[in-house]
C-alpha cells in the first residue's frame, strides 16, 4: 500500500466490513481527494468558476444538499488571490457533510463546540446569512487563533469566537442554543491519507481514550441545547467505540434524546476520506433562555465617535451596533442588537471594527473582509496589482484617505492614499509571498 496503515486498524476493519474490506483497503493505494467550497456569503459557485484563473473539477454532492463545492487537483491553494479574498475554503470533501444535518436557518442560535480550524463554522455562518448568532469555540489557544483568522477572512459578521473548555461553556449557556454541532476530537482514522501523524498516533488505547473524552464533551453540549433543538455529533474516524457507541451512550444517558439519523461515510463509497454523522433531537418545549446583553460604549464614547466619523468618510452605512470588548471596538449586525455577555475568554464578538487612539480610528482587516462592493469606498485593481498588494507592496493612486482594495469586486484589505501612493495596510501576518 501507498500508506503504512496500522495493522490493528486493518484487522478491525476487516472483521467489521467482511466482503467490503477489499474495496475499502484499496483506497490506501490512491492519494486523497481535495475539494473547496465557495463562500456563499460573498460569491456563488457559478461565479467562482467564472473568475478563477484555475480549473475547478466536479461538484461535491452532499446528502443534505446545499453545497457550492468542487474538487480540485493542484497545489498552493493558500497562495491564490481568491483564497486571501475569502471566496473559497479548502476542506476535505466528506467533512462538508456534517453541517448540513443541523438544518440551520437565519435567526438560529448555533454552537460549534469544537470548531477549529473553521470549515464547519464557516458553513454554518453561510446558512445563517448574517441572522442569528454563531458561537465557535476551540479549547486550544493556537487553534482558536487559526479559527478566528478563517472566520474573519470569510467575512462573517455574526460570530463569537471563544477559547474555553466545553464544561465551562456549559455553565454559562444552559438550554441556550437551537442547534449544536460537536465535531469531536477523535483518533482520526479518516485522516490517514491526509495526515501522516494520524497514522503514527493511532493505537487501541488512544481510541478508547477518545471515546471517553467524546462522552464528556457531548454531556456539556447536550446541556446547552434547548428543548426541541438539534445536536449533530460527527467524527472523522470509523471506530464503533467512538461513533455508534458514543451515540448509544448519549441516548441511554438522556431519556429526552431521540436519534433522528445516523450515517457512516466510508472512503470506498464516496469521493472523500470518510466521516460519521449522527443527528439527535432533544424533546421538550421550544423555548430558549433569554440573552443577556453586553453594554455598548455609550453615546458620548470618544472611540465610538471616531469610528462613526471614519465610517461616514468611507461610505460605510449604519449596519453595525457598536460594542466594546477589551481595548477594541466590535460591531454586530444592527438587527441582532448585541450578543450574550458570557464572562468567558472571547477572541471576538462580532466583527472587530478596529481601534481608536486620540480620537483617530484605525480599521481592522476583519472590517474590510466583511464589507462588499458598494458598502464602502473601494479601489479596484488588476490581478498583477492584487498579487503585489498581497506581498505588502504599495501602488500609485489618485485618491487620499482610506479605501478597500478590491479585485473582481471582492476585498483584499485596506490601503490609505497619501501623496499619490496607496500605502499597504494588509497585516504582515497575512502577507503572501509568491501569490498568484
Amino acid at each position: 500500500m501507498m500508506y503504512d496503515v496500522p495493522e490493528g486498524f486493518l484487522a478491525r476493519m476487516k472483521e467489521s466490513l467482511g466482503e467490503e474490506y477489499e474495496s475499502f483497503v484499496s483506497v490506501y493505494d490512491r492519494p486523497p481527494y481535495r475539494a473547496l467550497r465557495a463562500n456563499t456569503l460573498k460569491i456563488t459557485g457559478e461565479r467562482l468558476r467564472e473568475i478563477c484563473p484555475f480549473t475547478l473539477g466536479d461538484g461535491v454532492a452532499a446528502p443534505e444538499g446545499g453545497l457550492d463545492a468542487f474538487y480540485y487537483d493542484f497545489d498552493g491553494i493558500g497562495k491564490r488571490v481568491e483564497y486571501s479574498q475569502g471566496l473559497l475554503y479548502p476542506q476535505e470533501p466528506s467533512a462538508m457533510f456534517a453541517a448540513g444535518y443541523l438544518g440551520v436557518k437565519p435567526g438560529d442560535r448555533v454552537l460549534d463546540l469544537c470548531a477549529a480550524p473553521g470549515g464547519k463554522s464557516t458553513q454554518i455562518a453561510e446558512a445563517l446569512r448574517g441572522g442569528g448568532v454563531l458561537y465557535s469555540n476551540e479549547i486550544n489557544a493556537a487553534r482558536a487563533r487559526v479559527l478566528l483568522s478563517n472566520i474573519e477572512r470569510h467575512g462573517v459578521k455574526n460570530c463569537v469566537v471563544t477559547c474555553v473548555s466545553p464544561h465551562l461553556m456549559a455553565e454559562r449557556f444552559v438550554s441556550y442554543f437551537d442547534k449544536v454541532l460537536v465535531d469531536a476530537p477523535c483518533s482520526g482514522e479518516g485522516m490517514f491519507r491526509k495526515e501522516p501523524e494520524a497514522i503514527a498516533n493511532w493505537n487501541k488505547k488512544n481510541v478508547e481514550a477518545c471515546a471517553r473524552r467524546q462522552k464528556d464533551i457531548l454531556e456539556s453540549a447536550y446541556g446547552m441545547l434547548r428543548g426541541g433543538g438539534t445536536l449533530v455529533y460527527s467524527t472523522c474516524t470509523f471506530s464503533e467505540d467512538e461513533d455508534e457507541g458514543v451515540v448509544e451512550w448519549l441516548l441511554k444517558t438522556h431519556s429526552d434524546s431521540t436519534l433522528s439519523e445516523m450515517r457512516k461515510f466510508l472512503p470506498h463509497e464516496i469521493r472523500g476520506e470518510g466521516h460519521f454523522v449522527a443527528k439527535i433531537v432533544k424533546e421538550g418545549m421550544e423555548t430558549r433562555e433569554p440573552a443577556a446583553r453586553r453594554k455598548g460604549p455609550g453615546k458620548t464614547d470618544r472611540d465610538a465617535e471616531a469610528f462613526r466619523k471614519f465610517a461616514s468618510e468611507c461610505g460605510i452605512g449604519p449596519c453595525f451596533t457598536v460594542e466594546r470588548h477589551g481595548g477594541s471596538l466590535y460591531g454586530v449586525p444592527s438587527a441582532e442588537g448585541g450578543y450574550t455577555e458570557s464572562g468567558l475568554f472571547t477572541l471576538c464578538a462580532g466583527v472587530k471594527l478596529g481601534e481608536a487612539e486620540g480620537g483617530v480610528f484605525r480599521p481592522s482587516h476583519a472590517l474590510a473582509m466583511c464589507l462588499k462592493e458598494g458598502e464602502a469606498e473601494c479601489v479596484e485593481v488588476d490581478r498583477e496589482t492584487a498579487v503585489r498588494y498581497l506581498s505588502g507592496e504599495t501602488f500609485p493612486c489618485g485618491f487620499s484617505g482610506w479605501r478597500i482594495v478590491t479585485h473582481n469586486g471582492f476585498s483584499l484589505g485596506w490601503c490609505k492614499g497619501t501623496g499619490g501612493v496607496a500605502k499597504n495596510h494588509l497585516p504582515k501576518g497575512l502577507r503572501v509571498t509568491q501569490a498568484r
Side-chain angles (χ1 to χ4, degrees):
M1 290 186 292
M2 183 185 300
Y3 300 89
D4 188 18
V5 183
E7 289 296 329
F9 164 74
L10 292 176
R12 193 195 75 212
M13 295 304 295
K14 186 173 184 177
E15 181 180 358
S16 173
L17 292 175
E19 294 180 357
E20 289 186 58
Y21 175 74
E22 292 302 325
S23 296
F24 170 80
V25 78
S26 69
V27 303
Y28 297 108
D29 286 325
R30 304 190 295 270
Y33 289 100
R34 292 186 285 188
L36 58 84
R37 292 185 356 259
N39 174 9
T40 58
L41 290 175
K42 297 186 178 186
I43 195 170
T44 64
E46 181 180 2
R47 178 62 176 150
L48 185 64
R49 273 195 188 276
E50 290 175 0
I51 69 171
C52 281
F54 47 84
T55 301
L56 295 176
D58 297 340
V60 178
E64 297 298 297
L67 276 183
D68 271 355
F70 310 93
Y71 294 96
Y72 70 92
D73 189 22
F74 55 84
D75 296 326
I77 189 72
K79 291 185 176 292
R80 302 288 181 170
V81 170
E82 291 74 20
Y83 176 87
S84 292
Q85 291 176 297
L87 302 185
L88 56 86
Y89 191 102
Q91 189 176 10
E92 195 281 307
S94 55
M96 300 179 186
F97 298 168
Y101 282 86
L102 278 172
V104 171
K105 296 180 176 59
D108 281 342
R109 294 177 186 168
V110 188
L111 169 64
D112 186 357
L113 187 56
C114 311
K120 295 176 178 66
S121 278
T122 52
Q123 280 183 273
I124 292 167
E126 291 167 28
L128 285 171
R129 308 304 306 169
V133 61
L134 165 64
Y135 277 75
S136 295
N137 180 69
E138 171 56 47
I139 192 172
N140 180 282
R143 285 170 56 81
R145 289 191 290 272
V146 173
L147 168 65
L148 175 61
S149 179
N150 285 328
I151 291 289
E152 290 182 340
R153 186 174 60 254
H154 223 67
V156 180
K157 295 179 181 179
N158 57 329
C159 184
V160 180
V161 178
T162 54
C163 178
V164 296
S165 71
H167 175 73
L168 184 58
M169 196 161 199
E171 292 179 353
R172 303 293 197 278
F173 290 98
V174 178
S175 303
Y176 183 82
F177 294 100
D178 303 299
K179 312 283 170 62
V180 176
L181 174 64
V182 178
D183 185 48
C186 66
S187 58
E189 294 170 356
M191 292 291 103
F192 284 170
R193 291 195 294 179
K194 287 190 64 181
E195 299 177 4
E197 60 270 24
I199 296 175
N201 293 333
W202 187 92
N203 59 68
K204 292 181 180 180
K205 287 186 177 180
N206 186 42
V207 169
E208 294 167 357
C210 285
R212 290 192 296 270
R213 178 169 56 178
Q214 288 151 1
K215 291 174 184 177
D216 288 341
I217 293 171
L218 270 181
E219 183 66 23
S220 295
Y222 197 74
M224 290 185 273
L225 186 67
R226 67 161 174 86
T230 298
L231 183 149
V232 168
Y233 172 69
S234 66
T235 74
C236 58
T237 200
F238 311 132
S239 162
E240 290 189 9
D241 288 345
E242 298 178 68
D243 294 344
E244 295 89 345
V246 170
V247 172
E248 181 181 1
W249 167 85
L250 180 68
L251 297 173
K252 287 182 177 179
T253 305
H254 295 278
S255 60
D256 59 349
S257 62
T258 302
L259 179 63
S260 173
E261 191 170 357
M262 184 164 64
R263 292 192 63 177
K264 180 165 282 183
F265 301 93
L266 294 171
H268 65 291
E269 300 170 330
I270 59 170
R271 295 172 64 188
E273 301 308 292
H275 222 69
F276 171 82
V277 181
K279 179 178 179 179
I280 297 157
V281 176
K282 187 176 187 178
E283 299 171 4
M285 300 293 292
E286 293 195 8
T287 58
R288 305 188 297 187
E289 289 296 312
R293 298 301 190 190
R294 178 180 290 110
K295 293 182 179 180
K299 293 182 179 179
T300 60
D301 187 282
R302 187 182 184 189
D303 292 349
E305 286 301 316
F307 166 70
R308 295 185 184 104
K309 180 174 182 290
F310 169 87
S312 177
E313 292 172 351
C314 292
I316 302 171
C319 53
F320 294 109
T321 296
V322 180
E323 300 182 346
R324 184 182 300 287
H325 181 75
S328 302
L329 293 179
Y330 284 78
V332 299
S334 294
E336 300 305 317
Y339 293 148
T340 294
E341 177 61 77
S342 65
L344 303 175
F345 181 69
T346 303
L347 279 73
C348 81
V351 178
K352 184 178 180 180
L353 303 174
E355 283 135 2
E357 185 175 348
V360 177
F361 183 79
R362 183 182 178 88
S364 74
H365 182 68
L367 178 59
M369 298 309 291
C370 79
L371 295 173
K372 300 177 182 178
E373 190 176 30
E375 294 181 340
E377 294 288 341
C378 300
V379 53
E380 175 73 9
V381 299
D382 59 21
R383 194 170 192 86
E384 182 181 350
T385 305
V387 168
R388 294 204 308 270
Y389 173 84
L390 288 175
S391 71
E393 295 184 26
T394 61
F395 57 89
C397 72
F399 60 86
S400 60
W402 292 94
R403 295 288 189 278
I404 294 177
V405 182
T406 61
H407 174 61
N408 285 326
F410 299 102
S411 175
L412 286 159
W414 290 104
C415 70
K416 189 175 184 181
T418 305
V421 176
K423 299 292 182 66
N424 194 311
H425 283 268
L426 183 69
K428 290 182 179 180
L430 298 178
R431 294 178 183 178
V432 183
T433 58
Q434 299 179 335
R436 44 190 164 147

